[in-house]
Amino acid sequence: MCGIVGYIGKADAPTVLINGLRRLEYRGYDSAGLAVLDDERVVVSKAPGKVAALNERARSEWPAERFSRASLGIAHTRWATHGPPTEVNAHPHLDHSGEVALVHNGIIENYRALRARLEGKGHHFYSETDTEVLAHLIGECDKGNLFQAVCDALHQVEGTFGIAVLSAREPGRIITARRGSPIVIGVGDGETIIASDASAILAHTQRVIYLDDNDIAIVTADSVDIRDLNNIPVTREIAELGLDESAAEKGGYDHFMLKEIHEQPECLANAIRGRLDFNIGSSVLAGMGTSPRELAELGRVVLVGCGTSLHAGLVGEYAFEDLADLHSEVQQAAEFRYRNPILGSRDLVVAISQSGETADTLAAVREAKQKGAFVMSLCNVVGSTIARETGRGVYLHAGPEISVASTKAFTCQVAVLLMMALKLGRGRRFSREEGIRFAQEINSIPMLVERVIRQDAHIAGVAASYVANEHAFFIGRGPMYPVALEGALKLKEISYIHAEGYHAAELKHGPIALLTEGTPVIAIACDIPGKDKTLGNIEECKARGARILGLVTEGDHEAAECMDDFISIPRCHPLVATIPAVVALQLFSYHVARLRGCEIDQPRNLAKSVTVE
Ligand code: M6R
């Protein structure tokens, strides 16, 4: 969603800001803007569309000296919420005097009331945004101390914010604050960079400070002074990012998505490394922070997440039931706190989130904690809000996922869930030998995925036959049902083909009415329990003219012969097979979208991390 960059230091601020925004492009946005202090005046440049358009606009509107002179500024990529993605709605927004500039992520929920009050005092608003109201409110509160003005304004707002503010009246500092929307401060050598996401900081420093909710910081080129909104100083540690700048580059691939699909054997090896113990036939997940007794006393596992992370949870549900004999269920994070979930101290709530910033998942974490459940997270982004608020959990170690369409995070989520289920299973029903056998299955995942990736050229060839369709159905059974949901999500989000995932048996309860000559049905028909029934469902589709692309187990000629096209999945445990199967569908979706000429890494309307409800 929206992205923030702020800079203060010795380099030329406009260039640093635009480069920072480029690093945030993957998050999804539809307009961009920046404000710098030049000659003690706030100057702003904005453009609808891409950061490249903003760069062109600023370079044509501003004198060249401004680029070398300005050493302080703030910038933003906006994902439209209040008002369309026009120039006037783009951030930064100015206050009444034109001397205070603000960039903002999040939503000010009471902006209408605040706007009416300010209009009553003579304020005039140019945009439809909630952010402009906050800019005016800060200006209204400013009686000669910008920090205090921001505190006073933030006390009056309801909703979420990550903000950066500068003022011509106080050159040499930026004020930044957060509530529900992340802010990271990079502490460089004579320069400080503020961002909503560490990827905009990587080029400058590895040393960062994560703000907590209701923190507000006064940032200069050499100092970061953090307080709460009542002006009480708070201490936040400096953390090391430990990320390589090249992780945010395409590395020779045409798209981040393709790079991330191909990286999966390595990411999965990183997610698994050191976490399997073949002596005891279990997994070692220290971050869970649970004693064997606590694990033994668990009565239920509740998995919460959104989108792809929700689908990973659905695979986890099968794993906890199958391997650990543990009642397990998945709940949509967006519903969780509105349905009064019944939770207690014997319930383990696992929040699954690549970004660790998804607003609904974070709200579910808070609700589960409130209700006394045992809460942990599976996050990819180290130091993210969900990871910090749960305090325990397992990092995915997938490395930065830049493409909006999640790929490597999903497979690492499933791998970690399988390791969690193994750990719980060993405490309940698995013998040591069974544990060892399943640990070996998990250990083989990177190699299994590698074997699917080697079929990339074949999958690209298959994809060519499905490019012209506007509808597609994905079907599967058992743990392959969530894989069908994820396959459909991947295809629709990047190729804009209308795709639906169904349990194979559900098709004939309604959706089969939509099958006509040539409608693609992508059937996950691997050799797992229920395969014969899935083959029966495939025949039902064929009888109505559907074109079948099957995922079949290597060497299963009987299944392969039922299909118009097929992709082979290596033979392995049914739960483990979900991972190579999904990788095949990721590649299929990628190639269909590429052949349709879609903007794969930043699909229309989508944001990488959804930080509003
Ligand atoms: O960062 P999260 O895992 O919490 O994100 C959840 C969803 O927004 C995300 O998985 C989304 O569905 C992706 N676009 C899927 O590719």
Side-chain angles (χ1 to χ4, degrees), residues 305-311 352-359 361 378 386 401 403-407 409 413 486 489-490 493 606-610:
C306 300
T308 289
S309 296
L310 183 78
H311 297 157
I352 308 174
S353 175
Q354 187 285 130
S355 61
E357 302 294 347
T358 299
T361 311
L378 258 59
I386 292 173
E401 191 179 67
S403 165
V404 165
S406 184
T407 54
Q413 284 164 345
E486 176 58 13
L489 176 63
K490 275 305 74 92
E493 70 181 333
L606 293 185
K608 180 65 182 161
S609 120
V610 180

Side-chain angles (χ1 to χ4, degrees), residues 538-569:
I538 289 169
E539 292 304 328
E540 292 157 8
C541 298
K542 282 167 70 177
R544 278 133 191 111
R547 181 183 176 102
I548 313 291
L549 164 59
L551 265 53
V552 302
T553 300
E554 254 170 32
D556 186 349
H557 304 296
E558 183 209 355
E561 275 165 21
C562 296
M563 316 298 174
D564 293 295
D565 306 287
F566 71 90
I567 301 168
S568 297
I569 305 301

Side-chain angles (χ1 to χ4, degrees), residues 42-54:
V42 177
V43 284
V44 177
S45 185
K46 306 184 197 186
K50 296 293 178 194
V51 172
L54 172 69

Side-chain angles (χ1 to χ4, degrees), residues 184-354:
V184 194
I185 301 172
V187 183
D189 181 13
E191 60 179 2
T192 311
I193 310 98
I194 298 159
S196 51
D197 177 326
S199 43
I201 292 176
L202 274 177
H204 297 265
T205 179
Q206 290 280 320
R207 302 174 72 228
V208 295
I209 301 171
Y210 296 97
L211 291 193
D212 276 351
D213 272 356
N214 297 311
D215 283 355
I216 175 164
I218 305 164
V219 172
T220 71
D222 319 292
S223 66
V224 179
D225 176 7
I226 308 175
R227 292 150 190 257
D228 68 13
L229 292 179
N230 296 315
N231 202 0
I232 311 286
V234 293
T235 309
R236 304 282 172 238
E237 300 298 321
I238 295 186
E240 282 291 319
L241 277 176
L243 290 176
D244 182 349
E245 221 195 313
S246 67
E249 307 285 353
K250 282 191 202 143
Y253 288 91
D254 286 345
H255 297 97
F256 280 111
M257 183 180 180
L258 187 62
K259 175 187 175 224
E260 288 161 7
I261 293 173
H262 278 253
E263 273 173 0
Q264 287 178 105
E266 192 189 334
C267 301
L268 285 156
N270 290 340
I272 295 167
R273 186 173 301 116
R275 288 173 166 172
L276 291 172
D277 184 331
F278 293 98
N279 282 321
I280 56 167
S282 187
S283 59
V284 186
L285 301 169
M288 283 175 72
T290 39
S291 67
R293 169 182 286 253
E294 281 170 322
L295 291 183
E297 283 173 357
L298 285 179
R300 184 169 65 139
V301 181
V302 180
L303 302 133
V304 293
C306 300
T308 289
S309 296
L310 183 78
H311 297 157
L314 287 165
V315 179
E317 186 179 5
Y318 284 92
F320 286 113
E321 281 178 4
D322 264 26
L323 306 180
D325 272 348
L326 197 55
H327 176 58
S328 153
E329 65 189 59
V330 176
Q331 295 195 19
Q332 283 184 354
E335 269 302 293
F336 192 74
R337 71 182 185 283
Y338 295 113
R339 56 181 289 190
N340 196 14
I342 305 184
L343 292 171
S345 57
R346 292 184 61 235
D347 294 319
L348 169 64
V349 174
V350 183
I352 308 174
S353 175
Q354 187 285 130

Side-chain angles (χ1 to χ4, degrees), residues 450-495:
E450 185 66 58
R451 279 163 63 185
V452 173
I453 288 174
R454 276 193 230 130
Q455 298 178 64
D456 193 2
H458 163 67
I459 297 172
V462 169
S465 311
Y466 295 83
V467 168
N469 294 89
E470 288 310 320
H471 304 276
F473 294 89
F474 288 70
I475 58 171
R477 272 172 191 271
M480 295 303 181
Y481 164 52
V483 172
L485 297 179
E486 176 58 13
L489 176 63
K490 275 305 74 92
L491 186 66
K492 77 182 108 182
E493 70 181 333
I494 59 166
S495 75

